[in-house]
């Protein structure tokens, strides 16, 4: 979800909260995920 939001717009600033170190690492890893155009289209259709 974080990767999808980051790719939707270059001016998006995400500040996800977390209560565990593992979730922090997961959130950081999400910033490095590159979604394909097909992935974005599929995810956009779910969000509609």
């Amino acid at each position: 979800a974080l990767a999808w939001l980051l790719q939707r717009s270059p001016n998006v600033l995400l500040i996800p909260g977390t209560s565990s170190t593992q979730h922090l690492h997961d959130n950081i890893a999400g910033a490095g995920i590159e979604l394909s155009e097909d992935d974005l289209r599929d995810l956009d259709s779910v969000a509609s």
Side-chain angles (χ1 to χ4, degrees), residues 5-42:
L5 288 170
L6 287 169
Q7 279 190 248
R8 290 190 49 89
S9 177
N11 62 346
V12 169
L13 174 62
L14 299 176
I15 306 174
T18 184
S19 60
S20 75
T21 305
Q22 182 58 50
H23 287 160
L24 174 63
H25 290 289
D26 293 342
N27 290 342
I28 292 168
I33 296 172
E34 290 288 329
L35 300 172
S36 70
E37 290 296 321
D38 289 336
D39 292 334
L40 289 172
R41 189 171 29 260
D42 290 345

